[in-house]
Amino acid sequence: MNKSTDSKPSLFTHLILVVCLVVIGTFTLSALITYNNQRDELLADLEGSAQESLLRLTSTLAPYLSSYSINEYEKLIYAEAKLKKFHAVVIEDYKMGGIVGESAYITGYVKTEGKQFQPYQQGMPLNDNAEASLFSVSAPILSKQNENLGKVTLHVSNDVIQDELHYQLTHTILTSITIATLLLTVLLYFAKRLFIGPIEQIAQAIAAQDDSGIPLSHVPEFGNQEFSSLSQTMNNMLDVIRCSHHSLRLEHSRLLNVIDGTRTGTWEWNVETGHIDYNGAWQGILGWDISALNGPPNLDWKAFIHPEDKVESDTLLEKLFNKEIEYYDCEVKLQHRSGFWINALGRANVVEWDKNGHPLKILGTHQDITAHKKAEEKLRLAAKVFTHTREGIIIADSQSRIIEVNDAFTRITGYSIDEVRGEKPSILHSGHQDAEFYKKMWQSLTEKGHWSGELWNRRKNGEIYPELLTISCVFGEDNKPMNYVAVFSDITSYKEHEHKLKQIAHFDTLTELPNRFLLGDRLKSAMKHAKRNEQYVAIIFLDLDGFKSVNDTYGHEVGDILLQEIAKRMQRSMRDSDTIARIGGDEFVAVLTGLTSPEDCPPLLPRLVAATSGPVNANGNLVQLSASFGITLFPQAEDVDADTLLRQADYAMYQAKLNGKHRYHFFDAELEQALKNQNEHLRSIGYGLRKKEFYLCYQPKVSFRNGEIIGLEALIRWQHPTRGKLMPNDFISSIENHSLIVEVGDWVLEATLQQLTEWQKKGFVTQVSVNIAPHQLMRPDFMDKLILLLARFPHIHPNQLQLEILETSALEDIVVVSQIITRCQSMGISFAIDDFGTGYASLTYLKKLPAETLKIDQSFVHDMLDNNDNLAILEGIITLANTFGRKVLAEGVEKREQVQLLLWLGCEFGQGFGISRPMRAEKVLSWVKEWRLDPAWHQSPEIKDELYPLVDSVIKNRARIERMQSYLTKKNRR
């Protein structure tokens, strides 16, 4: 049931309203009539009662009026007024009026608004309420003598009649309502049961409907004849409707399936209005949305026709309109919304004509046949390919019997279609392939549905030829082979060309020896064979000595002849199992196989040496060369591949050249392993640097005089993941001449400046010295990088950084080093020469190097107390430093006696285990707080007897120096 019916009132509601209106109207009319009748009756009763009271009063009042008994008759009229509920009773007493001088004496009682009676006084105007009474009656008061004594007037008001009428009306209404309610209940009950109930059941039965609006259930049967007949009729009608609708739906579904399945666009053309109505398939055909096609504005499919097809289409439509043809049937090209053209098949028929024979309505379809047209084109193309392709094609049935071949098959094999139709392809077998080959072919066809490969077949004339064959299986709907298609080509010329290419690819064109590629294959094969048979292989790399001078002197033609002749000689000198290959220029490689031990190789070498060193006559020029040989053996202690063996032999050959040429040299595997270890060590250092495995320790430098901490030296350490803590001697030497030393040095500088910043934040300001490797110092960008690094730490003054360089590195290029030191000093950075005394510096070098500090190598300090020579060197270094105005600092100070003697010699600064071991940065501040000078340092040193001659010499030298200083001082004063 739809929403519009749900919002409407029910039939029962209408019936209730109608019955209620009828009953209410009837009883209302009846009540009005009864009311009027009762009112008339009440009025009549009131008039009669008033006349009766009037008669009684006129007869009763006469004596009182005659006797002037005013009080008596006032009581009488009061009692009458109250008894009869009159509105007013008025007496006009003529006799009393004569006494009072009036025409009449008026007295009586009048009802007030409060329902009480008020006496009427003489001279009081008549009450308005009395005048407003419903009616009044009057009668004269006559005496017995028939004398007119006065007049009595009775006023009757609405109160009496209204009260009575109200009571009567209330009684009538209540009675009417009761009767009407009973009557409505009875009427509605029987109407609901006999009429409305069946109608509601019918409505409920047809309320539940399917999508098409047809009731889902039957109308129930009823007890009375009329409704029973109605339900049967309706059920029969519903059955017919359901059956018809089901048939229509089936037909409609079939039609939609046909239209949707064929993606057919339908259209209905109203010729009079020109409007064309399209179905949804047109969106897939033309790309336009259906709302855009149907409009407004309405689009005409004829406007999309290609100009080449429009004339034919219009002609056929005109013939259809003129009834010259029965149907419109035309293939046209329609333009898609995207701009491309599609092929469409249009069909139409006129379904409605006017009385004059003009078409009114046309129904038609258009189907996209682009894919069909392309398939037709492909079929035509496939037929052309099948006929004109250069490859032979065989089509066989499921039993492998030939049913069709193309012209190329006849050209290649010599057989015509008539000669092979019905035969099997085995007619072409050459016998070159065994049964196992064809078994694998059919296995591939069965499992994969295809096979391809090369084989040899036989032509009709008996000639054997190679072909490249591809066989594909065509399966039917039951997934069983239906046909086999074989495509093959004669590859005779390809095989010949392949042979030439192999010759070019595997052999040197000049010497016809195997080239590098074929050498690799043979070497790998020899290695596998040797390993399997526990034998040895010798790889000999040889290079002709002085071959370039031959080319330069005699020309390349002579050089080529020389290479060819030497190649032939080497081939003749070698065994059949060996290989000699030219790998480029004047380089050759020989592979000697089948060696039972390494000792089998040397006896074979003289023949190769002789083959390369004998004189050669090249175009009348007698040329003689020698060769250098590098030899390596396989197998080795470690697994190596062919490329590694060639590199080893090449390396050994260069060693032979370095040793004087015209000789051979065996590769040293231990040296190779050392190089590998070195490379691995370098990689681990780089990895450790990236993983932050390096850290810095700091060793204090102090003054022996006052204990002042003049700075610290940053010393690098490596926390190796497997070897533990490593000292600089364990890794620095291996990277001194490698780019890694620069990375490590840069890291040390940055880490030092960062640590200085952290200490400075905590109130500790000092100087830290950093060792700089020669490779880092001599780089062109050293100064630029140092300036940028200092700029990143603006709170660190350059004088807080000291750079230490080895004496040996300073001597490599003293001019450049001196310039670098000068530039750094201009910025505030100081320099120290480390390990001074271990190099070969002259006084000139010491003069040219502007370093502020000389650090005495610890090797001299260590034995100074026992070794006369070391002590002499120390004294010389200290004297030189003092002479040139340089600060001198002793390294490796461990004992108190060393400090005492150093002070006596004139060295006031030092560092070493005797002061403090190198410590991590977090321990420096606590050490600084606890550091105290050892008072014993200032005591006189105890000198051993064997050192006294040197000490005496030192004393005499100092005396001469003091005299010289005194002389110069006096001379300057003059």
Side-chain angles (χ1 to χ4, degrees):
M1 188 175 293
N2 56 37
K3 294 181 179 179
S4 61
T5 57
D6 287 342
S7 62
K8 295 180 180 180
S10 64
L11 179 63
F12 185 62
T13 303
H14 284 291
L15 183 62
I16 291 174
L17 290 175
V18 171
V19 171
C20 288
L21 289 175
V22 170
V23 171
I24 291 172
T26 301
F27 278 91
T28 300
L29 182 61
S30 174
L32 290 174
I33 295 172
T34 302
Y35 176 79
N36 289 328
N37 292 334
Q38 288 177 348
R39 187 175 184 278
D40 293 340
E41 290 177 1
L42 286 173
L43 287 173
D45 290 342
L46 284 174
E47 290 179 355
S49 177
Q51 291 296 333
E52 180 182 352
S53 296
L54 189 63
L55 291 176
R56 186 170 50 253
L57 287 174
T58 54
S59 59
T60 304
L61 291 175
Y64 294 110
L65 265 66
S66 298
S67 58
Y68 303 103
S69 302
I70 297 174
N71 289 333
E72 296 300 327
Y73 66 69
E74 284 182 350
K75 290 179 182 179
L76 181 63
I77 60 176
Y78 174 79
E80 187 68 25
K82 189 174 183 180
L83 178 66
K84 296 294 185 175
K85 298 179 181 180
F86 293 129
H87 179 68
V89 179
V90 179
I91 300 295
E92 295 181 22
D93 189 352
Y94 297 147
K95 290 184 70 175
M96 182 60 69
I99 295 174
V100 295
E102 297 289 340
S103 58
Y105 174 78
I106 301 173
T107 186
Y109 286 93
V110 179
K111 188 183 291 184
T112 65
E113 291 180 358
K115 305 296 183 178
Q116 299 297 324
F117 285 98
Q118 178 183 358
Y120 180 79
Q121 300 295 331
Q122 181 68 30
M124 177 186 297
L126 189 62
N127 192 288
D128 291 338
N129 287 334
E131 294 178 354
S133 60
L134 180 63
F135 67 90
S136 61
V137 292
S138 301
I141 302 173
L142 300 176
S143 64
K144 293 180 178 182
Q145 291 80 19
N146 206 23
E147 179 184 1
N148 190 4
L149 299 176
K151 183 175 68 174
V152 59
T153 303
L154 300 179
H155 294 271
V156 181
S157 68
N158 281 332
D159 291 343
V160 177
I161 191 171
Q162 283 180 353
D163 291 341
E164 186 64 26
L165 285 175
H166 182 267
Y167 169 76
Q168 293 292 337
L169 182 61
T170 300
H171 181 267
T172 302
I173 290 174
L174 290 175
T175 304
S176 298
I177 289 173
T178 302
I179 296 172
T181 301
L182 291 174
L183 180 60
L184 283 173
T185 301
V186 173
L187 288 176
L188 292 176
Y189 171 76
F190 285 105
K192 175 75 173 177
R193 180 176 180 83
L194 300 177
F195 181 68
I196 301 301
I199 292 178
E200 287 181 346
Q201 292 181 27
I202 294 174
Q204 290 176 359
I206 65 176
Q209 300 173 354
D210 58 17
D211 295 338
S212 303
I214 299 175
L216 296 174
S217 59
H218 282 78
V219 177
E221 291 290 336
F222 298 101
N224 57 68
Q225 181 180 357
E226 290 79 4
F227 278 107
S228 177
S229 176
L230 177 62
S231 67
Q232 291 179 3
T233 303
M234 291 183 68
N235 287 331
N236 291 336
M237 291 174 62
L238 288 175
D239 290 338
V240 173
I241 291 172
R242 289 192 187 100
C243 183
S244 300
H245 183 70
H246 180 68
S247 299
L248 288 174
R249 289 185 67 177
L250 287 177
E251 292 298 327
H252 186 259
S253 177
R254 292 191 188 101
L255 181 59
L256 288 179
N257 289 336
V258 170
I259 292 174
D260 292 341
T262 57
R263 296 186 293 277
T264 301
T266 64
W267 49 271
E268 181 178 334
W269 181 10
N270 188 322
V271 181
E272 284 187 324
T273 63
H275 185 273
I276 301 177
D277 190 30
Y278 301 90
N279 74 334
W282 279 92
Q283 184 169 353
I285 296 174
L286 292 180
W288 289 90
D289 188 77
I290 295 305
S291 59
L293 286 171
N294 288 324
N298 185 236
L299 299 182
D300 192 344
W301 60 266
K302 298 186 291 300
F304 299 101
I305 298 178
H306 194 280
E308 295 177 357
D309 300 331
K310 188 167 182 60
V311 175
E312 181 183 0
S313 175
D314 291 345
T315 302
L316 289 175
L317 284 174
E318 185 177 356
K319 289 183 178 181
L320 180 67
F321 292 171
N322 296 331
K323 299 184 179 180
E324 296 178 15
I325 57 176
E326 199 169 336
Y327 298 99
Y328 167 84
D329 195 331
C330 183
E331 288 187 12
V332 294
K333 288 190 286 295
L334 299 177
Q335 188 173 28
H336 194 271
R337 185 180 184 182
S338 300
F340 59 85
W341 296 91
I342 65 168
N343 296 96
L345 174 61
R347 290 190 175 97
N349 183 31
V350 180
V351 296
E352 187 176 346
W353 304 82
D354 65 8
K355 61 182 180 180
N356 298 321
H358 298 143
L360 294 178
K361 184 183 293 183
I362 302 175
L363 296 180
T365 63
H366 273 81
Q367 188 173 7
D368 187 351
I369 59 172
T370 304
H372 177 70
K373 298 294 284 187
K374 289 181 179 179
E376 287 182 351
E377 187 63 29
K378 287 182 180 179
L379 288 175
R380 285 193 293 269
L381 180 60
K384 290 180 181 179
V385 170
F386 182 80
T387 303
H388 299 97
T389 185
R390 298 289 296 172
E391 286 76 21
I393 301 176
I394 303 173
I395 300 177
D397 60 17
S398 60
Q399 304 300 319
S400 301
R401 290 186 294 267
I402 298 174
I403 58 178
E404 190 63 63
V405 297
N406 66 343
D407 295 342
F409 172 88
T410 302
R411 175 177 50 79
I412 295 173
T413 66
Y415 290 100
S416 66
I417 177 61
D418 295 330
E419 291 174 313
V420 296
R421 183 178 283 119
E423 299 288 341
K424 292 192 174 183
S426 58
I427 192 174
L428 303 173
H429 284 186
S430 63
H432 278 224
Q433 293 80 222
D434 56 14
E436 183 65 24
F437 174 86
Y438 290 106
K439 180 180 178 181
K440 291 181 179 179
M441 175 193 292
W442 280 105
Q443 183 179 357
S444 177
L445 284 171
T446 302
E447 295 177 355
K448 301 179 181 178
H450 60 85
W451 179 90
S452 61
E454 295 181 5
L455 52 75
W456 292 83
N457 270 344
R458 187 188 305 273
R459 305 186 205 273
K460 183 179 179 182
N461 59 10
E463 179 185 352
I464 305 297
Y465 69 96
E467 71 176 35
L468 181 63
L469 174 65
T470 298
I471 306 175
S472 300
C473 184
V474 181
F475 294 95
E477 294 181 357
D478 56 358
N479 205 28
K480 293 182 179 179
M482 185 173 64
N483 292 100
Y484 295 97
V485 178
V487 180
F488 66 94
S489 56
D490 185 349
I491 57 172
T492 302
S493 59
Y494 170 76
K495 284 293 184 182
E496 294 173 353
H497 184 63
E498 182 182 37
H499 177 72
K500 294 179 181 178
L501 290 177
K502 281 185 178 180
Q503 191 70 20
I504 295 172
H506 295 89
F507 292 89
D508 178 50
T509 56
L510 178 63
T511 63
E512 296 183 356
L513 294 178
N515 59 11
R516 183 184 292 271
F517 182 79
L518 184 56
L519 170 68
D521 286 346
R522 291 189 179 180
L523 178 55
K524 292 175 183 177
S525 177
M527 291 167 64
K528 291 180 181 178
H529 187 270
K531 208 166 188 179
R532 186 167 54 249
N533 297 290
E534 297 183 352
Q535 294 177 338
Y536 287 87
V537 178
I539 297 90
I540 304 172
F541 197 112
L542 64 98
D543 182 88
L544 299 179
D545 302 326
F547 179 74
K548 183 178 182 300
S549 62
V550 173
N551 277 336
D552 295 341
T553 304
Y554 301 103
H556 288 282
E557 184 178 355
V558 172
D560 290 346
I561 295 173
L562 179 62
L563 290 175
Q564 291 172 338
E565 182 59 30
I566 291 177
K568 292 176 183 178
R569 291 179 182 181
M570 286 191 294
Q571 274 187 308
R572 290 194 295 267
S573 69
M574 298 180 67
R575 301 170 300 172
D576 293 339
S577 61
D578 300 333
T579 296
I580 181 71
R582 182 188 179 212
I583 61 173
D586 59 346
E587 295 179 334
F588 298 85
V589 174
V591 179
L592 308 182
T593 61
L595 305 179
T596 57
S597 68
E599 289 75 17
D600 291 345
C601 180
L604 302 176
L605 298 177
R607 290 184 292 176
L608 274 176
V609 174
T612 56
S613 59
V616 176
N617 188 344
N619 285 351
N621 300 295
L622 192 62
V623 182
Q624 186 173 9
L625 297 175
S626 64
S628 299
F629 299 82
I631 307 160
T632 188
L633 295 172
F634 177 86
Q636 298 177 3
E638 294 186 1
D639 288 337
V640 291
D641 56 17
D643 291 335
T644 302
L645 291 172
L646 290 174
R647 286 197 300 272
Q648 291 176 354
D650 187 18
Y651 176 79
M653 183 271 294
Y654 276 105
Q655 295 299 316
K657 281 188 177 292
L658 293 174
N659 293 335
K661 302 180 182 180
H662 189 44
R663 65 189 67 240
Y664 56 82
H665 182 85
F666 279 89
F667 175 75
D668 188 350
E670 293 182 359
L671 177 61
E672 174 74 3
Q673 185 60 43
L675 294 175
K676 284 184 179 179
N677 292 340
Q678 170 70 5
N679 291 333
E680 180 61 31
H681 188 53
L682 292 175
R683 282 194 294 271
S684 64
I685 292 175
Y687 180 81
L689 196 60
R690 292 190 298 273
K691 292 297 182 180
K692 300 181 179 180
E693 296 174 358
F694 291 90
Y695 64 94
L696 293 180
C697 287
Y698 298 89
Q699 188 174 40
K701 299 182 291 184
V702 301
S703 170
F704 296 150
R705 292 287 182 192
N706 54 23
E708 178 188 359
I709 301 171
I710 64 172
L712 301 101
E713 181 180 1
L715 301 171
I716 191 170
R717 301 289 186 265
W718 183 8
Q719 189 63 42
H720 196 278
T722 57
R723 298 169 60 189
K725 183 173 73 173
L726 300 181
M727 305 301 286
N729 292 338
D730 296 324
F731 58 89
I732 290 296
S733 59
S734 61
I735 62 173
E736 277 184 335
N737 297 313
H738 193 274
S739 60
L740 272 174
I741 193 65
V742 179
E743 295 183 38
V744 173
D746 290 343
W747 177 83
V748 171
L749 282 171
E750 183 175 356
T752 299
L753 293 175
Q754 181 65 44
Q755 187 58 55
L756 281 170
T757 302
E758 293 179 7
W759 282 336
Q760 191 162 299
K761 291 178 181 177
K762 296 178 181 179
F764 178 55
V765 180
T766 188
Q767 182 191 70
V768 176
S769 60
V770 176
N771 291 279
I772 300 297
H775 190 68
Q776 181 181 11
L777 182 68
M778 302 300 289
R779 285 180 63 88
D781 61 346
F782 173 75
M783 286 303 303
D784 295 334
K785 291 171 67 175
L786 183 60
I787 292 171
L788 290 174
L789 184 61
L790 286 169
R792 289 174 51 195
F793 298 91
H795 299 293
I796 301 302
H797 194 277
N799 62 15
Q800 292 180 252
L801 179 65
Q802 184 181 64
L803 302 181
E804 296 185 8
I805 58 173
L806 292 174
E807 180 186 4
T808 53
S809 66
L811 300 179
E812 290 180 2
D813 193 336
I814 193 169
V815 176
V816 175
V817 173
S818 178
Q819 291 174 352
I820 294 174
I821 293 176
T822 303
R823 287 189 64 187
C824 288
Q825 288 174 337
S826 67
M827 297 167 54
I829 301 173
S830 62
F831 261 83
I833 297 179
D834 197 15
D835 295 345
F836 190 80
T838 59
Y840 303 93
S842 65
L843 294 178
T844 303
Y845 286 160
L846 187 60
K847 178 181 178 182
K848 291 181 178 180
L849 286 174
E852 294 92 338
T853 304
L854 302 181
K855 298 185 71 173
I856 303 174
D857 187 67
Q858 62 182 349
S859 61
F860 303 119
V861 178
H862 184 267
D863 296 329
M864 63 180 291
L865 299 176
D866 303 311
N867 191 302
N868 233 350
D869 294 336
N870 284 350
L871 185 60
I873 292 172
L874 277 173
E875 195 275 335
I877 293 173
I878 294 170
T879 301
L880 280 173
N882 291 331
T883 302
F884 282 96
R886 310 291 170 82
K887 184 189 295 185
V888 63
L889 184 144
E891 294 182 311
V893 176
E894 298 180 358
K895 299 178 181 179
R896 179 177 57 195
E897 293 80 1
Q898 291 172 336
V899 177
Q900 294 171 348
L901 189 54
L902 285 168
L903 273 172
W904 184 80
L905 291 173
C907 177
E908 298 186 359
F909 306 100
Q911 67 182 92
F913 289 178
I915 301 170
S916 172
R917 289 179 176 272
M919 66 191 92
R920 298 290 287 262
E922 56 269 18
K923 295 183 179 180
V924 169
L925 295 181
S926 60
W927 182 89
V928 170
K929 292 180 180 179
E930 297 174 1
W931 161 247
R932 297 292 183 273
L933 174 71
D934 186 356
W937 284 1
H938 295 163
Q939 297 176 3
S940 298
E942 296 181 4
I943 301 174
K944 295 183 178 180
D945 294 340
E946 58 267 23
L947 298 179
Y948 269 108
L950 178 62
V951 172
D952 184 60
S953 175
V954 170
I955 294 172
K956 290 179 180 179
N957 287 336
R958 286 186 175 178
R960 286 195 294 269
I961 292 171
E962 289 175 357
R963 288 196 298 272
M964 179 62 69
Q965 288 176 343
S966 176
Y967 169 76
L968 292 174
T969 302
K970 291 178 181 179
K971 186 176 181 180
N972 290 334
R973 287 177 180 174
R974 292 176 187 170

